[in-house]
Amino acid sequence: MSMPATAHEVTAVHALESVWSRYVFSTDHKVIGLQYLFTGMAMALLGGFMAYVFRMQLAFPDQVVPLYGLVTAREYNALVTNHGSIMIFWVAMPVLIAGFGNFLIPLMIGCDDMVFPRLNRLSYQIFFVSAVIILISLVVPGGGFGGAWTAYPPLSASAQYNHTPWGAPLWLLAVALEFVAFLLGGINFTVTVMNARAPGMTAMRIPIVVWMIVIASLVFMASVGPLVAGAVMLLLDQTVGTRFYDPTAGGDPLLWQHLFWFFGHPEVYVVLLPATGIVAEIITVFARKKLFAYKTILGTSIATGIISFFVWAHHQFVAGIDPRMAHLFTITTLLISIPIAEMLFAFIATLYGGSIELATPMLWALAFIAEFLIGGVTGIFLGANATDIYLHDTYFVVAHFHYTFFPIGIIATFAAVTYWFPKMFGRRMNETLGKLHFWGTIIPFNLIFIPLFLTGAAGQHRRIYSYENFPQLSTPWLNQLAVLATLALIVMFVFQAVFLVNFFWSMRRGEKVGANPWNANTLEWSAPSPPPHGNFAAMPTVYRGPYEYGVPDRELDYWPQHVAS
Amino acid sequence: MLEWLIPAASTSADEIDWLFTLIFWTVGFWFLVAQGILFGFIVKFRRRPGVRSQYIAGESKDEKRWISWPHYVVIACDVVLIAGAIAVWRDVKQVIPTPDETIRVIAQQWAWTFVHPGPDRRLDTPDDVVTVNELHVRNDTTYAFELSSLDVVHSFSIPVFRLKQDAVPGRVITGWFRPTKTGTFDIACAEMCGLGHALMPAVLHIESPEAHAAWLGDRTTVAAATSGSRS
């Protein structure tokens, strides 16, 4: 328009610009962290819905699933494949590492932003594109990829075998782009923690969660390279007819398995470490205790990260590898129980002599320890090569890894969200709704997966669309266990509405709080709630470690890192 | 203890069940101890008015023994379990006993083809019997199998034998089993192999020597079962 803009119009245009620059194209680490968090939450609802649909098919075979319809075998395969992919790559990783890593690292080490803010934004944008591509892959002709999240070739390499000419390459492209996004993010995290710490923030004063995110980022960066190479080869096999994984042309299907699991197993620890770090922060605050054996926990984290590179072939005990190799991988796999167990012992020891308040974040943190212990001990059955022969690819595996991944991806996330919510939005979440949501999640969770240990031990394989063809494996009581697991899943899903209501209501209407509502020590609580772009009014100086709770002869039972005396 | 859930019908199944039980009690005991201490602490150290938390850094050797001793116990348990796992794995996977007979198992999307030796007990002779989705074996007989796949990765799984072995295209993978119980049991594919993955059931018949001989002799049944399939 040629007419001069009125003041009102200018303000409106400016406001519009600021919404875009503030919430969509922001370079502020906190906004990017929240973008990852919200994207992850949306994808969790989708991934959870997929679980609901395929569990309904298992419990009530060939019946119409409410809100979905009939589930065909093709759809079932696509649902289980994409449920796994989405929950790990588009929920656990973006929320735990990218979401909380972004939100917490600059605040906790005392700087104004990531060292490379634009790289940070690019990382989210690439991640967002990857999420769009995986969604598109579900609705293209032929449907979504159904070759399991492990995508073993030759099935995944050829549409002749997987019958998803568009779904398989798009799925792979989405995963590859997601890796690129996290590589950029991981570089940023590591460089920021190395270079941008506040004065006085020595290595041994860094909060353990920051350490663990950095170690996880390094593990990710070191493990993902071979898989990206493998993924490029697989994409070429799918699209231009190379035959890296085709034995009839001199390729080898097992090559992919090695490349995939060389990444895939460390990946467990990539998400586990930030989750345990979050739990460590929360238990110290709500037990008013110094973290027991900080240096030992740091050592165990590093040891876990290193050993995680030497365990991958325990996924291949029955894959036709040389049987002698299995002994080596049994030993390394069981070895990793040593640092992890020690870390959990240190967390439990932290509670000793504490003054424990069972606020919602603490409930989640304690539940993490209790539930993860189940995941840990059941892993021994699978790490031991001989029992794995039987249990491999049964529901026992499904139950085991949900007892590790659910505490990691869901329980630790709820712990973190409820704990840092006041910092994110300057308001507190409702405690009653929080506790209702907690029990409405934890009880059904156990009712879903304890039955699956039994169906797995009874021989039921996973990824089977219908058991009607297996008379021995579909006895009435096994079917009843499937029904129990499915009903519990529906109950758990319903209770997530309580969380969503609490979250969005509290964002706008929750009780307003000051900068440090939990009386915590770490630096993020010295910034205003919510912190402005740039975080701190004045850059903090750090005088001591992050866990000085209950220090004798002090009036207060906490002693923030930035307070001089 | 797996037998409470599913019968054990091979010599390997007995060994694997033994290892499962060993692991169950070992980790089960320590699991209960750890959970007990966790919940005990949560109850004992609940916040009370006027009671402050103790300041314990956990850095001195004296304090650290509270985590280092349990840690040594974990190592000791690991050593026992690793020894058990290695022993059982050796028996089940590494040392293949001299077989009485060899059968051939061929996986493809989405069926199992079994080649049984005929009365001469040797493969690749004119009396071989080929079946689809139906495996007949003699009780108390040591079998070797040669497993292959014609297309994608499948996994040959017989839960009552506690046997599972991937079939990888381009390779012939050998293994063995020795049935210990007669009956009819499920065989399944345990690796996602495409659209019809759930439609790859096969039936395992473990027969007495007499019943097995009768089945072998009844060639008309065999002909009917294999008609229309690969030859």
Side-chain angles (χ1 to χ4, degrees):
Chain A
M1 278 216 220
S2 58
M3 282 173 69
T6 64
H8 178 73
E9 276 169 340
V10 170
T11 317
V13 168
H14 190 74
L16 194 66
E17 275 177 357
S18 66
V19 167
W20 282 95
S21 61
R22 214 172 141 191
Y23 295 114
V24 181
F25 296 112
S26 173
T27 54
D28 183 355
H29 70 97
K30 299 181 292 295
V31 176
I32 294 170
L34 289 177
Q35 285 174 334
Y36 272 113
L37 178 63
F38 283 119
T39 314
M41 277 165 62
M43 295 299 274
L45 289 175
L46 176 66
F49 181 74
M50 290 174 161
Y52 153 77
V53 175
F54 65 69
R55 287 270 5 143
M56 286 295 282
Q57 160 63 23
L58 286 170
F60 310 104
D62 305 323
Q63 312 264 317
V64 173
V65 176
L67 305 175
Y68 184 85
L70 272 176
V71 183
T72 64
R74 184 186 66 75
E75 288 167 348
Y76 182 89
N77 290 352
L79 286 166
V80 293
T81 300
N82 287 283
H83 166 76
S85 316
I86 285 175
M87 286 304 199
I88 292 174
F89 295 133
W90 281 275
V91 178
M93 285 187 67
V95 169
L96 282 165
I97 304 202
F100 288 107
N102 259 307
F103 189 84
L104 295 177
I105 286 176
L107 282 168
M108 287 185 116
I109 64 170
C111 66
D112 55 357
D113 205 334
M114 289 289 173
V115 167
F116 307 120
R118 288 190 196 176
L119 190 70
N120 207 11
R121 186 178 67 189
L122 180 66
S123 146
Y124 175 73
Q125 287 166 337
I126 294 173
F127 169 74
F128 186 80
V129 170
S130 79
V132 171
I133 292 175
I134 190 103
L135 295 180
I136 292 172
S137 84
L138 300 173
V139 293
V140 289
F145 176 54
W149 82 285
T150 51
Y152 283 2
L155 178 67
S156 60
S158 163
Q160 176 200 342
Y161 295 137
N162 61 45
H163 303 94
T164 49
W166 290 93
L170 284 175
W171 176 89
L172 192 58
L173 180 65
V175 173
L177 279 177
E178 196 262 5
F179 293 161
V180 172
F182 284 106
L183 265 175
L184 299 181
I187 291 167
N188 216 346
F189 289 177
T190 311
V191 174
T192 302
V193 175
M194 283 170 75
N195 293 303
R197 302 196 300 274
M201 180 64 86
T202 60
M204 291 300 121
R205 289 178 181 171
I206 296 175
I208 206 81
V209 67
V210 174
W211 264 120
M212 289 193 178
I213 292 172
V214 170
I215 296 166
S217 300
L218 291 171
V219 170
F220 177 79
M221 285 192 274
S223 63
V224 79
L227 183 60
V228 171
V232 170
M233 291 194 283
L234 185 54
L235 204 56
L236 291 173
D237 272 15
Q238 287 173 342
T239 52
V240 302
T242 57
R243 297 164 93 174
F244 290 107
Y245 302 116
D246 179 358
T248 61
D252 188 349
L254 289 189
L255 171 63
W256 166 265
Q257 296 189 16
H258 286 291
L259 296 174
F260 181 86
W261 287 116
F262 184 77
F263 160 81
H265 202 85
E267 168 70 10
V268 175
Y269 299 95
V270 168
V271 285
L272 170 65
L273 288 174
T276 47
I278 286 165
V279 168
E281 299 298 325
I282 292 171
I283 57 174
T284 59
V285 173
F286 290 92
R288 315 307 292 168
K289 275 293 302 291
K290 194 177 169 82
L291 187 64
F292 193 91
Y294 171 98
K295 283 182 190 165
T296 306
I297 292 176
L298 181 57
T300 59
S301 311
I302 294 169
T304 306
I306 293 171
I307 301 174
S308 73
F309 285 102
F310 300 99
V311 302
W312 80 88
H314 69 217
H315 295 272
Q316 295 171 273
F317 286 152
V318 297
I321 59 171
D322 188 324
R324 287 169 297 185
M325 259 172 74
H327 296 309
L328 179 67
F329 283 93
T330 293
I331 293 168
T332 55
T333 302
L334 266 59
L335 273 184
I336 213 167
S337 68
I338 295 167
I340 292 283
E342 196 165 2
M343 198 187 291
L344 292 178
F345 292 149
F347 289 180
I348 295 173
T350 301
L351 300 174
Y352 180 87
S355 172
I356 298 170
E357 184 195 355
L358 294 180
T360 310
M362 185 63 161
L363 284 177
W364 287 113
L366 295 172
F368 174 93
I369 300 172
E371 303 288 2
F372 188 79
L373 271 170
I374 302 179
V377 297
T378 52
I380 307 279
F381 292 90
L382 302 165
N385 47 13
T387 36
D388 182 66
I389 298 170
Y390 175 58
L391 297 169
H392 189 88
D393 266 327
T394 65
Y395 274 104
F396 191 94
V397 177
V398 176
H400 156 71
F401 77 66
H402 281 87
Y403 267 102
T404 58
F405 266 105
F406 191 89
I408 293 169
I410 309 295
I411 294 180
T413 296
F414 285 136
V417 168
T418 48
Y419 176 60
W420 278 293
F421 190 91
K423 188 50 58 187
M424 291 171 177
F425 305 109
R427 292 171 187 273
R428 206 193 274 273
M429 288 179 84
N430 182 285
E431 272 289 300
T432 312
L433 288 178
K435 284 179 176 153
L436 181 67
H437 171 236
F438 172 80
W439 292 111
T441 303
I442 289 295
I443 295 170
F445 162 67
N446 288 290
L447 291 177
I448 299 170
F449 291 106
I450 288 174
L452 298 193
F453 279 122
L454 293 170
T455 62
Q460 275 200 347
H461 299 112
R462 60 178 174 160
R463 296 170 182 151
I464 297 273
Y465 144 79
S466 166
Y467 268 93
E468 287 167 329
N469 300 307
F470 299 90
Q472 191 192 357
L473 299 178
S474 61
T475 57
W477 82 276
L478 287 177
N479 294 340
Q480 284 158 12
L481 288 174
V483 171
L484 170 63
T486 305
L487 295 180
L489 181 133
I490 293 170
V491 172
M492 186 169 87
F493 212 55
V494 167
F495 269 94
Q496 301 319 302
V498 177
F499 172 76
L500 291 175
V501 167
N502 193 3
F503 188 94
F504 289 107
W505 183 85
S506 303
M507 239 170 100
R508 303 229 158 207
R509 297 284 168 84
E511 177 200 343
K512 278 196 176 178
V513 292
N516 191 1
W518 311 116
N519 292 337
N521 284 344
T522 40
L523 286 185
E524 77 272 27
W525 301 105
S526 69
S529 300
H533 200 156
N535 297 342
F536 302 95
M539 281 302 130
T541 302
V542 173
Y543 297 97
R544 66 191 65 76
Y547 305 114
E548 298 300 318
Y549 295 100
V551 179
D553 305 327
R554 280 188 62 81
E555 190 189 338
L556 297 173
D557 72 345
Y558 66 111
W559 200 357
Q561 284 189 284
H562 66 285
V563 173
S565 62
Chain B
M1 71 193 326
L2 280 176
E3 256 200 284
W4 295 342
L5 298 164
I6 182 166
S10 76
T11 50
S12 302
D14 294 336
E15 289 204 57
I16 288 173
D17 286 7
W18 171 82
L19 182 64
F20 185 94
T21 308
L22 174 74
I23 298 174
F24 183 89
W25 290 114
T26 311
V27 303
F29 175 73
W30 286 107
F31 170 73
L32 290 179
V33 170
Q35 294 282 19
I37 293 172
L38 172 65
F39 281 94
F41 282 3
I42 293 171
V43 172
K44 187 162 191 279
F45 298 107
R46 283 287 289 278
R47 186 162 296 179
R48 288 183 187 81
V51 180
R52 265 180 76 147
S53 60
Q54 299 171 31
Y55 186 79
I56 304 166
E59 298 291 350
S60 72
K61 218 174 178 179
D62 196 39
E63 289 167 345
K64 269 209 256 188
R65 71 195 163 132
W66 290 104
I67 55 174
S68 52
W69 277 101
H71 168 193
Y72 298 140
V73 175
V74 169
I75 295 175
C77 289
D78 278 353
V79 169
V80 171
L81 297 182
I82 287 170
I86 286 177
V88 175
W89 175 271
R90 259 190 104 256
D91 286 354
V92 172
K93 292 283 280 192
Q94 264 178 289
V95 185
I96 298 186
T98 313
D100 301 319
E101 282 187 27
T102 299
I103 51 163
R104 197 165 285 148
V105 183
I106 302 156
Q108 70 191 99
Q109 285 182 328
W110 291 282
W112 299 98
T113 302
F114 300 101
V115 185
H116 305 74
D120 69 352
R121 297 199 169 192
R122 287 189 307 161
L123 278 178
D124 300 318
T125 54
D127 67 349
D128 288 357
V129 176
V130 179
T131 59
V132 174
N133 291 339
E134 198 178 334
L135 172 62
H136 289 259
V137 294
R138 204 181 278 114
N139 195 16
D140 283 329
T141 305
T142 302
Y143 283 88
F145 62 81
E146 296 171 356
L147 178 64
S148 59
S149 165
L150 299 180
D151 39 44
V152 302
V153 177
H154 299 271
S155 191
F156 180 50
S157 173
I158 305 180
V160 290
F161 283 176
R162 315 289 187 261
L163 165 72
K164 193 172 292 123
Q165 176 61 58
D166 285 3
V168 182
R171 294 175 192 224
V172 177
I173 296 169
T174 51
W176 71 283
F177 55 81
R178 185 180 172 89
T180 56
K181 192 176 277 170
T182 57
T184 304
F185 304 104
D186 283 338
I187 298 174
C189 177
E191 188 62 70
M192 173 65 86
C193 60
L195 281 179
H197 172 55
L199 306 172
M200 259 180 94
V203 183
L204 167 70
H205 298 277
I206 308 174
E207 295 151 343
S208 64
E210 302 75 38
H212 189 73
W215 172 77
L216 269 183
D218 191 355
R219 305 304 297 265
T220 44
T221 314
V222 174
T226 56
S227 63
S229 68
R230 297 167 8 87
S231 57

